[in-house]
Amino acid sequence: MDRHEVERRIAEHGIETVKIGTPDIDGVYRGKRLSTKQFLDGCEGDGFAQCDVVFGWDIAEEVITGQKLAIGSADTGFADILLRPDLATFRIVPWEPASAAVVCDVYSEHGEPVAVSPRTVLRRVLDRAAKLGYTAAMAVELEFRIFREDQETLRTKDFSDLRPLNPGYNCYSISHASIDDDVVGGLRRYMDAYGIDVEGYSREHGEGMYEMNLRYCDALEAADRGMLFKSGAKEVLAQSGAVPTFMAKYSDRMDGCSGHIHQSLWQGDANAFWDGAAPHHMSSTLMSYLAGALQTMPELFALYAPNVNSYKRYVSGSWAPTAASWAIENRTSSLRAITNGETAIRVEHRVPGADVNPYLGFAACLAGGLYGIERGLTPPPPAQGNVYETEGLPPLPRTLDEAIERLDASAVAREFLGDAFVDHYVAMRRWEVEKHRRAVTAWERARYFEQV
């Protein structure tokens, strides 16, 4: 899509407002709303000014202090960065009158890509794949819970004792999914019209829980779709008097919400993971990719599980992995090889939760896989049966604190993602750990208030 096509679509749909934005470190779509005239006047210039604090605050929009950040702090003066629209991402917003949206790349005022921007980080790894002759196709499938609440009731109830969209445990229930069609089906139809193809969705395990499977495509576009889906779902469901949460673990009484990442490498029109003559049709490229992903999983874990809450999901027998493993068509492993066709053969990375930043999760997946390909690594034999009961597998980090220390020391992360990003990300995650360390929780009050 070029400027001419953008202008044509603006005229055709009577667009008055264009939302421009970019993912922050947590994957939140941040930016501003512009008049159509302002957007067209500036969309091919140096970019639109935006305060760099979007890369210097936490998920609760508290400015991070006491940490050395590359950008977005008082030390760097809260300077401007420039949002440059990627016109290929321009799309009409079907649930909002006369509106469109676009995703931007981020540049400094000197015209250099901002190294800590998640879109820049993913582009860096994709460029490395291209030098090896590969393009990446990816998709994220997201589980989330929906509640019949609004912004006021969420806060009145302190985000607890919320009313689910659909009570009870009705996993894969067609009747209950049909009951919710006005809300969840409406979300799917809006997403399809938004250019985010939803292949299918299902009622999942627990109150108000659904999974939507986004169709695979070019990796950068797939990451954009993951971010825009989360942001758009919040807007669409608000119109139905509902709110979603993509928390990895909303309640200790319920299963967590996953954000599984599907991935394959291509050479032109050929899936590089396919070898019709090999066992299970798995090419040597796929085997090395698996070996690299497996070996680097513990050190890249903080990119798959970015929040303190992420680690509450990893419980034995809970559909979330607890050790670094791979297997063929086995959902108890952390890497699941799906080998059911020449175009469909792929790897499902089952570690990420729904709270994953898709850009950084994708970048970590590809970095690990390419590391294995570049070094010709060979994976161990695939796990069999119930992987939770298999002994001797490498354990995965149990806390965010442990994961960030591994990331900080990771030569692979620094080589593939860049020192500037790793240092910045580690500093932000350390801040998150410290905020949690100081927090007094409802669990602590209930446990200790009377008895100590």
Side-chain angles (χ1 to χ4, degrees):
M1 190 177 301
D2 57 16
R3 182 189 173 97
H4 175 76
E5 176 63 14
V6 168
E7 289 180 336
R8 186 192 67 78
R9 297 191 70 190
I10 284 174
E12 177 184 349
H13 293 274
I15 299 301
E16 300 172 357
T17 302
V18 180
K19 298 187 278 191
I20 68 168
T22 198
D24 70 4
I25 298 298
D26 291 290
V28 179
Y29 187 34
R30 304 273 190 184
K32 58 184 67 179
R33 301 168 67 95
L34 302 175
S35 68
T36 300
K37 181 180 184 306
Q38 181 72 11
F39 172 74
L40 290 174
D41 286 347
C43 71
E44 292 183 321
D46 291 336
F48 298 95
Q50 171 72 56
C51 179
D52 69 4
V53 73
V54 296
F55 296 124
W57 58 27
D58 62 18
I59 191 70
E61 298 173 14
E62 182 177 350
V63 174
I64 293 173
T65 59
Q67 297 285 343
K68 187 67 175 178
L69 300 180
I71 192 173
S73 70
D75 291 337
T76 61
F78 297 118
D80 275 347
I81 49 177
L82 299 174
L83 303 183
R84 292 185 185 174
D86 179 349
L87 296 184
T89 69
F90 183 90
R91 62 194 72 217
I92 307 302
V93 180
W95 59 85
E96 189 174 332
S99 295
V102 70
V103 183
C104 300
D105 288 306
V106 186
Y107 290 81
S108 72
E109 290 186 297
H110 303 294
E112 300 168 342
V114 171
V116 306
S117 163
R119 217 167 186 258
T120 301
V121 173
L122 179 54
R123 281 189 185 276
R124 175 183 172 124
V125 185
L126 291 173
D127 287 346
R128 185 154 179 159
K131 291 177 181 177
L132 296 173
Y134 300 113
T135 58
M138 306 188 83
V140 61
E141 58 181 48
L142 292 165
E143 294 178 339
F144 52 102
R145 296 187 183 276
I146 305 173
F147 297 95
R148 296 185 186 275
E149 305 288 348
D150 58 34
Q151 295 300 308
E152 290 188 7
T153 61
L154 282 177
R155 287 155 179 82
T156 299
K157 295 182 177 183
D158 199 22
F159 298 91
S160 300
D161 299 321
L162 306 180
R163 180 189 175 197
L165 177 69
N166 192 323
Y169 287 75
N170 302 293
C171 190
Y172 300 152
S173 168
I174 295 296
S175 64
H176 280 270
S178 298
I179 290 169
D180 294 339
D181 183 70
D182 59 328
V183 176
V184 187
L187 172 61
R188 191 267 299 169
R189 288 185 282 273
Y190 271 134
M191 286 298 152
D192 286 345
Y194 196 34
I196 299 176
D197 296 336
V198 177
E199 290 188 327
Y201 70 91
S202 59
R203 182 77 162 79
E204 283 291 328
H205 192 248
E207 298 178 346
M209 186 174 178
Y210 276 87
E211 176 186 288
M212 285 198 170
N213 307 111
L214 307 189
R215 182 169 176 77
Y216 75 92
C217 59
D218 169 80
L220 185 62
E221 168 66 13
D224 290 337
R225 291 182 185 185
M227 176 188 69
L228 293 171
F229 177 89
K230 286 186 180 183
S231 182
K234 295 168 186 177
E235 297 177 19
V236 171
L237 292 175
Q239 297 179 3
S240 299
V243 294
T245 182
F246 295 91
M247 283 183 67
K249 186 86 165 177
Y250 165 71
S251 169
D252 55 18
R253 298 181 294 102
M254 304 176 187
D255 289 339
C257 291
S258 69
H260 299 158
I261 296 173
H262 293 252
Q263 56 212 275
S264 56
L265 295 180
W266 293 71
Q267 293 174 308
D269 295 329
N271 191 330
F273 285 175
W274 175 265
D275 182 343
H280 299 284
H281 311 301
M282 298 172 66
S283 71
S284 59
T285 299
L286 172 52
M287 298 302 285
S288 291
Y289 189 96
L290 283 166
L294 197 63
Q295 182 173 315
T296 61
M297 191 181 297
E299 62 194 273
L300 300 179
F301 204 78
L303 300 167
Y304 304 130
N307 300 307
V308 171
N309 177 258
S310 306
Y311 296 78
K312 304 295 178 69
R313 180 173 153 262
Y314 302 112
V315 178
S316 180
S318 68
W319 301 91
T322 55
S325 63
W326 82 277
I328 300 169
E329 283 294 2
N330 187 330
R331 286 183 169 86
T332 66
S333 64
S334 46
L335 297 175
R336 172 185 170 222
I338 302 170
T339 63
N340 58 357
E342 186 170 353
T343 57
I345 191 169
R346 63 195 185 275
V347 174
E348 178 191 34
H349 203 308
R350 296 180 58 81
V351 166
D355 58 344
V356 68
N357 178 335
Y359 299 89
L360 301 182
F362 286 10
C365 286
L366 290 170
L370 294 177
Y371 176 83
I373 290 172
E374 290 179 355
R375 287 155 181 79
L377 301 182
T378 301
Q384 303 291 331
N386 186 349
V387 178
Y388 292 113
E389 298 178 352
T390 303
E391 298 180 354
L393 295 174
L396 296 172
R398 298 296 303 273
T399 65
L400 180 57
D401 205 359
E402 178 187 351
I404 60 178
E405 295 310 316
R406 291 200 182 194
L407 181 66
D408 191 25
S410 171
V412 175
R414 293 184 176 280
E415 177 185 346
F416 281 81
L417 311 179
D419 284 323
F421 167 75
V422 172
D423 289 341
H424 187 87
Y425 187 83
V426 164
M428 293 190 72
R429 295 304 100 180
R430 283 178 174 149
W431 165 270
E432 195 73 8
V433 169
E434 184 59 29
K435 295 296 289 187
H436 177 257
R437 186 174 286 127
R438 298 179 185 182
V440 178
T441 65
W443 181 89
E444 291 169 291
R445 282 189 288 273
R447 192 171 185 88
Y448 302 123
F449 186 94
E450 285 190 295
Q451 301 298 341
V452 295

